[in-house]
Coordinates of all heavy atoms in Angstrom, one line a residue:
L1 N -1.0 -9.6 -2.1 CA -1.0 -9.1 -0.7 C -1.3 -7.6 -0.7 O -1.5 -7.0 -1.7 CB 0.4 -9.4 -0.1 CG 0.7 -10.9 0.1 CD1 1.7 -11.4 -0.9 CD2 1.2 -11.2 1.5
Y2 N -1.3 -7.0 0.5 CA -1.6 -5.6 0.7 C -0.6 -4.8 1.5 O 0.0 -5.4 2.4 CB -3.0 -5.5 1.3 CG -4.1 -6.2 0.6 CD1 -4.4 -7.5 0.9 CD2 -4.8 -5.6 -0.5 CE1 -5.4 -8.2 0.2 CE2 -5.7 -6.3 -1.2 CZ -6.1 -7.6 -0.9 OH -7.0 -8.3 -1.6
L3 N -0.5 -3.6 1.2 CA 0.3 -2.6 2.0 C -0.6 -1.6 2.4 O -1.4 -1.0 1.7 CB 1.5 -2.1 1.1 CG 2.6 -3.0 0.8 CD1 3.4 -2.5 -0.3 CD2 3.4 -3.4 2.0
I4 N -0.5 -1.2 3.7 CA -1.5 -0.3 4.3 C -0.7 0.9 4.9 O 0.2 0.8 5.7 CB -2.3 -0.9 5.4 CG1 -3.0 -2.2 4.9 CG2 -3.3 0.0 6.0 CD1 -3.5 -3.1 6.0
Q5 N -1.1 2.1 4.4 CA -0.5 3.4 4.8 C -1.7 4.2 5.4 O -2.5 4.8 4.7 CB 0.2 4.1 3.7 CG 1.5 3.5 3.2 CD 2.1 4.3 2.1 OE1 1.4 4.7 1.2 NE2 3.4 4.4 2.1
E6 N -1.7 4.3 6.7 CA -2.8 5.0 7.4 C -4.2 4.6 6.8 O -4.6 3.4 7.0 CB -2.5 6.5 7.4 CG -1.3 6.9 8.1 CD -1.0 8.4 8.1 OE1 -1.8 9.1 7.6 OE2 0.0 8.8 8.7
D7 N -4.9 5.5 6.1 CA -6.2 5.1 5.6 C -6.2 4.6 4.2 O -7.2 4.5 3.6 CB -7.2 6.3 5.8 CG -6.7 7.5 5.0 OD1 -5.5 7.5 4.6 OD2 -7.5 8.5 4.9
T8 N -5.0 4.4 3.6 CA -4.9 4.0 2.2 C -4.4 2.5 2.2 O -3.4 2.2 2.8 CB -3.9 4.8 1.4 OG1 -4.4 6.2 1.5 CG2 -3.8 4.4 0.0
T9 N -5.1 1.7 1.5 CA -4.7 0.3 1.3 C -4.3 0.1 -0.2 O -5.1 0.3 -1.1 CB -5.9 -0.7 1.6 OG1 -6.2 -0.5 3.0 CG2 -5.4 -2.1 1.4
W10 N -3.1 -0.4 -0.3 CA -2.5 -0.6 -1.7 C -2.6 -2.1 -2.0 O -2.1 -2.9 -1.2 CB -1.1 -0.2 -1.7 CG -0.8 1.3 -1.4 CD1 -0.6 1.8 -0.2 CD2 -0.8 2.3 -2.4 NE1 -0.5 3.2 -0.3 CE2 -0.6 3.5 -1.6 CE3 -0.9 2.4 -3.8 CZ2 -0.5 4.8 -2.3 CZ3 -0.8 3.6 -4.4 CH2 -0.6 4.8 -3.6
T11 N -3.1 -2.5 -3.1 CA -3.1 -3.8 -3.6 C -1.9 -4.1 -4.4 O -1.5 -3.4 -5.3 CB -4.4 -4.1 -4.4 OG1 -5.5 -3.8 -3.7 CG2 -4.4 -5.6 -4.8
D12 N -1.2 -5.2 -4.0 CA 0.1 -5.5 -4.7 C -0.2 -6.2 -6.0 O 0.1 -7.4 -6.2 CB 1.0 -6.4 -3.8 CG 2.4 -6.6 -4.3 OD1 2.8 -5.9 -5.2 OD2 3.1 -7.4 -3.7
D13 N -0.7 -5.5 -7.0 CA -0.9 -6.0 -8.3 C -0.6 -4.9 -9.3 O 0.2 -4.0 -9.0 CB -2.3 -6.5 -8.5 CG -3.4 -5.4 -8.2 OD1 -3.0 -4.2 -8.1 OD2 -4.6 -5.7 -8.1
E14 N -1.1 -5.0 -10.5 CA -0.8 -4.1 -11.6 C -1.2 -2.6 -11.2 O -0.7 -1.7 -11.8 CB -1.5 -4.5 -12.9 CG -0.9 -5.8 -13.5 CD -1.5 -7.0 -12.8 OE1 -2.4 -6.9 -12.0 OE2 -1.1 -8.1 -13.1
S15 N -2.2 -2.5 -10.3 CA -2.6 -1.1 -9.9 C -1.7 -0.4 -9.0 O -1.9 0.8 -8.7 CB -4.0 -1.2 -9.3 OG -4.0 -1.9 -8.0
F16 N -0.7 -1.1 -8.4 CA 0.2 -0.5 -7.4 C 1.0 0.6 -8.0 O 1.6 0.5 -9.1 CB 1.1 -1.6 -6.9 CG 2.0 -1.1 -5.8 CD1 1.6 -0.8 -4.5 CD2 3.4 -0.8 -6.1 CE1 2.5 -0.4 -3.5 CE2 4.3 -0.4 -5.1 CZ 3.8 -0.1 -3.8
D17 N 0.9 1.8 -7.3 CA 1.6 3.0 -7.8 C 2.8 3.2 -6.9 O 2.7 3.9 -5.8 CB 0.7 4.2 -7.7 CG 1.3 5.5 -8.3 OD1 2.5 5.5 -8.5 OD2 0.5 6.4 -8.5
P18 N 4.0 2.8 -7.3 CA 5.2 2.9 -6.4 C 5.6 4.4 -6.2 O 6.1 4.7 -5.1 CB 6.3 2.2 -7.2 CG 5.9 2.1 -8.6 CD 4.4 2.1 -8.6
V19 N 5.4 5.2 -7.2 CA 5.7 6.6 -7.0 C 4.9 7.3 -5.9 O 5.5 7.9 -4.9 CB 5.5 7.4 -8.3 CG1 5.8 8.9 -8.1 CG2 6.5 6.9 -9.4
K20 N 3.6 7.1 -5.9 CA 2.8 7.7 -4.9 C 3.0 7.0 -3.5 O 3.0 7.7 -2.5 CB 1.3 7.5 -5.3 CG 0.3 8.1 -4.3 CD 0.5 9.6 -4.2 CE -0.6 10.2 -3.2 NZ -0.3 11.7 -3.0
F21 N 3.2 5.7 -3.6 CA 3.5 4.9 -2.3 C 4.7 5.5 -1.7 O 4.7 5.7 -0.5 CB 3.6 3.5 -2.7 CG 4.0 2.6 -1.5 CD1 3.0 2.1 -0.6 CD2 5.3 2.3 -1.2 CE1 3.3 1.3 0.5 CE2 5.7 1.5 -0.1 CZ 4.7 1.0 0.7
N22 N 5.8 5.7 -2.4 CA 7.0 6.2 -1.9 C 6.9 7.6 -1.4 O 7.5 8.0 -0.4 CB 8.2 6.1 -2.9 CG 8.6 4.6 -3.1 OD1 8.4 3.8 -2.3 ND2 9.0 4.3 -4.3
E23 N 6.1 8.4 -2.1 CA 5.8 9.8 -1.6 C 5.2 9.8 -0.2 O 5.6 10.5 0.7 CB 4.9 10.5 -2.6 CG 5.6 10.9 -3.9 CD 4.6 11.6 -4.9 OE1 3.4 11.7 -4.5 OE2 5.0 12.0 -6.0
N24 N 4.2 8.9 0.0 CA 3.6 8.8 1.3 C 4.6 8.3 2.3 O 4.6 8.8 3.5 CB 2.4 7.8 1.2 CG 1.3 8.3 0.4 OD1 1.2 9.5 0.1 ND2 0.3 7.4 0.1
A25 N 5.5 7.3 1.9 CA 6.4 6.8 2.9 C 7.4 7.9 3.3 O 7.8 8.0 4.5 CB 7.2 5.7 2.3
E26 N 7.8 8.8 2.3 CA 8.7 9.8 2.6 C 8.1 10.9 3.6 O 8.8 11.6 4.3 CB 9.2 10.5 1.3 CG 10.2 9.6 0.5 CD 10.4 10.1 -0.8 OE1 9.9 11.3 -1.2 OE2 11.1 9.5 -1.6
K27 N 6.8 11.0 3.6 CA 6.1 11.9 4.5 C 6.0 11.3 5.9 O 5.5 12.0 6.8 CB 4.7 12.2 3.9 CG 4.7 12.9 2.6 CD 3.2 13.1 2.1 CE 3.2 13.8 0.8 NZ 1.8 13.8 0.2
G28 N 6.5 10.1 6.0 CA 6.5 9.5 7.4 C 5.3 8.7 7.7 O 5.0 8.3 8.8
M29 N 4.4 8.3 6.7 CA 3.3 7.5 6.9 C 3.7 6.1 7.3 O 4.5 5.5 6.6 CB 2.4 7.4 5.6 CG 1.6 8.7 5.3 SD 0.4 8.4 4.0 CE -0.3 10.0 3.8
K30 N 3.2 5.6 8.4 CA 3.4 4.3 8.9 C 2.9 3.3 7.9 O 1.7 3.4 7.5 CB 2.9 4.0 10.3 CG 3.2 2.7 10.8 CD 2.5 2.5 12.2 CE 2.8 1.1 12.7 NZ 2.2 0.9 14.1
T31 N 3.7 2.3 7.5 CA 3.2 1.3 6.6 C 3.3 -0.1 7.2 O 4.2 -0.5 7.9 CB 4.1 1.3 5.3 OG1 4.1 2.6 4.8 CG2 3.6 0.3 4.3
T32 N 2.2 -0.9 7.0 CA 2.2 -2.3 7.4 C 1.7 -3.1 6.2 O 1.3 -2.6 5.2 CB 1.2 -2.5 8.6 OG1 -0.1 -2.0 8.2 CG2 1.6 -1.7 9.8
S33 N 1.8 -4.4 6.3 CA 1.4 -5.3 5.3 C 0.3 -6.2 5.8 O 0.1 -6.5 7.0 CB 2.5 -6.1 4.7 OG 3.2 -6.9 5.7
A34 N -0.5 -6.8 4.8 CA -1.6 -7.7 5.2 C -1.6 -8.8 4.1 O -1.4 -8.6 3.0 CB -2.9 -7.0 5.3
C35 N -2.0 -10.0 4.6 CA -2.1 -11.2 3.7 C -3.4 -11.2 2.9 O -4.3 -10.5 3.3 CB -1.9 -12.4 4.5 SG -3.3 -12.8 5.6
P36 N -3.4 -12.0 1.9 CA -4.7 -12.1 1.1 C -5.8 -12.7 2.0 O -5.5 -13.5 2.9 CB -4.3 -13.1 0.0 CG -2.8 -13.0 -0.1 CD -2.4 -12.8 1.3
S37 N -7.0 -12.4 1.7 CA -8.2 -12.9 2.4 C -8.5 -14.3 2.0 O -8.0 -14.8 0.9 CB -9.4 -12.0 2.2 OG -9.8 -12.1 0.8
I38 N -9.2 -15.0 2.8 CA -9.6 -16.4 2.4 C -10.4 -16.4 1.2 O -10.3 -17.2 0.3 CB -10.4 -17.0 3.6 CG1 -9.5 -17.3 4.8 CG2 -11.1 -18.3 3.1 CD1 -10.2 -17.8 6.0
S39 N -11.3 -15.4 1.0 CA -12.1 -15.3 -0.2 C -11.3 -15.0 -1.4 O -11.6 -15.5 -2.5 CB -13.2 -14.2 0.0 OG -12.6 -12.9 0.2
S40 N -10.2 -14.3 -1.3 CA -9.3 -14.0 -2.5 C -8.7 -15.3 -2.9 O -8.6 -15.6 -4.2 CB -8.2 -13.0 -2.1 OG -8.7 -11.8 -1.8

């Protein structure tokens, strides 16, 4: 699945960087989630 912070899209896999993600969240960046695509 995906997490979206303004213009940054995070893929919920091994590449996900929780430290940077949380830094963005602490700055007040709005976060939403998105489901996998049909092609995925």
Side-chain angles (χ1 to χ4, degrees):
L1 291 108
Y2 302 93
L3 291 164
I4 303 166
Q5 290 178 319
E6 297 183 0
D7 59 349
T8 301
T9 298
W10 300 88
T11 304
D12 189 12
D13 60 11
E14 293 81 4
S15 69
F16 181 75
D17 184 348
V19 175
K20 183 62 177 176
F21 177 84
N22 289 332
E23 285 177 359
N24 290 346
E26 289 171 3
K27 293 176 183 176
M29 285 190 183
K30 181 180 178 182
T31 303
T32 58
S33 57
C35 68
S37 65
I38 292 173
S39 61
S40 295

